Amino acid sequence: MAKPNDLRALIDLTKTTPNLLTHYLSSLSSSTSTTASSTSPADLPNPLDVAKACTTLLKSHTTTLSLLLLTPPFTPSALITKIGDVSSGVLSNLVAGAAAEHGTKDGLGSLMRNELRAGVRRVLGGWGEVLALVLRLAERRQSIDGKTPAKKDPGPTESERQEILAATGVVWNACDGLLKFCDNGIVGLVVKKAEEWRSVLLDAVEELKEWGEDVDEDEDDEAEGSDLEDDEFRHDDDIFGAANKLGKGDKEIKALLDRSVKKLKMVGMLYQALIKRRLKTFPATAKTDGDGEDDAMVRLQKLMEHLRAIPENVDDLASAFYDLDEEEAKKTFEKCCEEAKSAVALVRQSWTSSDDEFTAWSQKWVDALDVA
């Protein structure tokens, strides 16, 4: 049976370690992250390399911890050692690599760094679940050991085995996600984000198109002498029903809607071209020149800001149409088009600042957008 002192030490450790995880999570916020601007760029480790090495080691440690929990006898001293190795060793280095701010000298843009930190947060959350499980198992064992004569440890129950496997799986999944992110690098991330934003954009455009086809044919045909019950029903429909319908007389706003849908579909085509010709061709070696990020990284970050802003503006555009606010819709629609044109202008030339196939295509696209 487990030694009482070891059990108490394990319980104390699993109760106090979550405070360390809370500290780690806090250090990942941009407002509290550390700065190491005095460090030479050549001396800075690649944050993705650090994350990959630490995550690989964490997955290995988690596997070992799982085996310790599944295989009798229950050994608190071994569990204490393993938890210490992870919490104050592996996780400490993982968080330090993700949290450190080196200005712009490590080659990571803000989008990449934020995604890295999100992945580390998921890993910390998974490890927190493992600690909670170890605490429950230790407390159960403490209760049992106090009532049962010393005998051979029967090992975990089937229910406990399932708990152990489930908690281990959570950490493994978080680690696999972070490892995939590190392997895909910045190109994989920006392509994934652009595809997500394009999907949101096209969904919103389709909803606008369907809304525009649902014209209110009965707006001038209200029945006279409707009773109170009918009026109350109509009031409920206003509250709980869909957005306002276009009326037969709303010809100008309908024309604006049709033009918006047509042009926004062209913007969806632009996303495809940018993903293929610019995002997937972004140079993996784009780093810094010692004084800050190189031109390619700066352009990429600005491009992603434009691509993210477009679906956000389309959401505002939809709200304006649903409110039948023609002036606001017109203003927001123009903002969407300007964001798209700015994205094109930013990367009209390749990452090496030379003309290519996209350069010619992009000018044709802008001309087509203007006359559509």
Side-chain angles (χ1 to χ4, degrees):
M1 304 298 286
K3 296 180 181 179
N5 289 341
D6 288 344
L7 265 177
R8 284 194 293 271
L10 177 61
I11 290 172
D12 289 342
L13 177 63
T14 51
K15 284 183 176 180
T16 56
T17 302
N19 294 330
L20 179 62
L21 298 186
T22 299
H23 170 71
Y24 286 158
L25 288 170
S26 175
S27 69
L28 290 171
S29 67
S30 58
S31 61
T32 59
S33 53
T34 57
T35 301
S37 57
S38 60
T39 306
S40 168
D43 297 332
L44 297 174
N46 185 307
L48 298 184
D49 291 341
V50 173
K52 185 174 182 179
C54 291
T55 304
T56 301
L57 187 55
L58 172 62
K59 193 172 181 181
S60 175
H61 279 314
T62 305
T63 301
T64 302
L65 183 70
S66 177
L67 292 174
L68 288 173
L69 294 172
L70 290 169
T71 308
F74 188 84
T75 312
S77 57
L79 294 170
I80 289 172
T81 299
K82 186 58 59 179
I83 291 173
D85 289 342
V86 171
S87 298
S88 59
V90 178
L91 293 184
S92 175
N93 293 329
L94 177 62
V95 171
E101 288 280 10
H102 303 296
T104 59
K105 297 182 178 181
D106 60 12
L108 286 192
S110 58
L111 178 67
M112 193 73 172
R113 186 176 298 284
N114 290 339
E115 197 73 12
L116 172 60
R117 290 174 178 172
V120 174
R121 290 189 190 96
R122 286 189 286 271
V123 169
L124 293 175
W127 185 247
E129 291 191 27
V130 169
L131 290 175
L133 169 63
V134 175
L135 174 59
R136 292 197 300 272
L137 294 177
E139 289 179 334
R140 291 176 194 170
R141 187 52 56 93
Q142 186 181 52
S143 176
I144 293 173
D145 288 355
K147 300 176 182 178
T148 306
K151 59 181 179 180
K152 185 177 180 180
D153 190 337
T157 64
E158 181 58 30
S159 175
E160 290 173 337
R161 289 179 62 84
Q162 293 304 315
E163 287 185 83
I164 294 167
L165 293 174
T168 303
V170 170
V171 177
W172 281 356
N173 287 338
C175 288
D176 287 343
L178 188 51
L179 288 172
K180 182 178 180 181
F181 166 77
C182 293
D183 287 337
N184 289 343
I186 193 165
V187 171
L189 174 63
V190 295
V191 168
K192 175 175 175 287
K193 289 293 185 182
E195 289 174 341
E196 290 175 353
W197 294 331
R198 177 179 181 270
S199 179
V200 171
L201 166 65
L202 294 182
D203 286 346
V205 171
E206 187 60 28
E207 289 181 9
L208 274 175
K209 180 176 178 292
E210 293 177 359
W211 176 78
E213 294 171 348
D214 187 19
V215 178
D216 189 354
E217 300 288 350
D218 301 321
E219 61 174 349
D220 297 322
D221 300 326
E222 295 182 7
E224 296 180 2
S226 60
D227 57 27
L228 179 60
E229 183 178 352
D230 290 335
D231 289 338
E232 289 176 342
F233 178 80
R234 186 179 300 111
H235 178 66
D236 290 341
D237 189 56
D238 289 340
I239 296 175
F240 301 110
N244 294 336
K245 293 182 180 181
L246 278 172
K248 289 184 292 184
D250 295 320
K251 294 182 180 180
E252 291 186 3
I253 195 169
K254 180 63 166 63
L256 176 61
L257 174 64
D258 292 342
R259 191 165 67 254
S260 299
V261 168
K262 182 179 181 180
K263 290 194 176 187
L264 290 174
K265 286 183 177 180
M266 293 180 62
V267 175
M269 293 172 55
L270 174 64
Y271 273 78
Q272 286 182 300
L274 287 170
I275 290 170
K276 181 179 180 180
R277 301 296 182 181
R278 288 295 179 259
L279 299 185
K280 288 186 176 180
T281 62
F282 184 76
T285 56
K287 294 292 184 181
T288 77
D289 57 12
D291 296 321
E293 293 170 321
D294 65 10
D295 177 67
M297 181 65 75
V298 172
R299 289 165 65 198
L300 177 66
Q301 293 191 158
K302 291 181 178 178
L303 173 62
M304 297 305 288
E305 290 172 4
H306 290 308
L307 296 183
R308 178 177 56 193
I310 292 171
E312 292 175 351
N313 286 330
V314 171
D315 186 54
D316 293 337
L317 175 64
S319 296
F321 274 121
Y322 296 157
D323 291 338
L324 302 180
D325 188 339
E326 183 180 352
E327 287 303 314
E328 184 63 25
K330 188 180 299 183
K331 182 172 64 175
T332 309
F333 170 57
E334 290 301 325
K335 186 184 298 184
C336 293
C337 292
E338 289 305 314
E339 287 283 2
K341 290 180 182 179
S342 295
V344 170
L346 188 64
V347 290
R348 189 181 67 85
Q349 292 186 311
S350 70
W351 298 114
T352 57
S353 299
S354 59
D355 290 350
D356 60 6
E357 185 178 353
F358 179 82
T359 305
W361 181 91
S362 64
Q363 185 57 57
K364 293 178 181 178
W365 181 89
V366 171
D367 294 340
L369 186 72
D370 287 338
V371 300

